Amino acid sequence: MGIELIKTEDGSFTLYNNELGEVYHSRFGAVSESLHIYISAGLNNLQGILKEIHLLEIGFGTGLNAYLTSLQAAKNKVKILYHTLEPYPLSEEIISKLNYPQVYGNEPETFNKIHQAIWGNPAFINPHFNLLKIKETLELASLPSNFYHLVYFDAFAPDLQSVLWEKPMFVKLNQSMKTGGILVTYSTKGIVKRNLAGAGFRIEKIPGPKGKREIIRATKE
């Protein structure tokens, strides 16, 4: 897999997958994009309401979302159980070049612990953040029912991984979530909105980060 390192506008790196012709994070700012979509639009809606949050991420990728979430968990003293699916983990060589702790949070030890956690084994990252990395696709993963409060849907774009954005996948996620649970994602394509609605989600379009007009926050009704 050919991977190219690209510096984004906020100084943090994204990765360009040459085979797919797609970036992992926005060129306008990797850290700022993740903070906007997954922390501000997702996690911050539940902090202060729940003492423990069960969170599922679709697409671990660079580990940026997990890193930012672990910092928020420690800062706000909310316990987070973080499950993340990723069938194709990045190499240690690529991970070592990522500069997220230097750009935000200044906690390289936390970032390293997240990436050094053994796949398939629960890992204690800090007193408020427990991680389980699962090397599996969403299609094949076995998910618990009525369990997750929050889903970060951060797969590659629908044009590249269409099966992940189809109604059966959103039905599967809906069944794994608690009533009132939130799913946040960057794509606002019509097919995505229709499939989410068909799977039992209430769709809300909200302002996106720089370079993206809108994003989706979907709630299980």
Side-chain angles (χ1 to χ4, degrees), residues 105-129:
N106 193 31
E107 290 200 25
E109 183 179 346
T110 297
F111 186 72
N112 292 336
K113 284 175 73 174
I114 287 170
H115 280 287
Q116 290 164 3
I118 298 171
W119 288 86
N121 287 7
F124 173 89
I125 304 302
N126 67 45
H128 295 91
F129 189 84

Side-chain angles (χ1 to χ4, degrees), residues 42 57 61 67 86-87 115 140 143 148 151 160 174 214-215 221:
E57 176 186 40
Y67 170 67
E86 176 56 70
H115 280 287
L140 298 179
L143 301 179
Y148 296 110
V151 173
L160 300 173
N174 185 285
E214 294 176 324
I215 59 173
E221 296 189 305

Side-chain angles (χ1 to χ4, degrees), residues 56-69:
L56 174 65
E57 176 186 40
I58 309 303
F60 177 72
T62 64
L64 175 57
N65 293 333
Y67 170 67
L68 296 175
T69 303

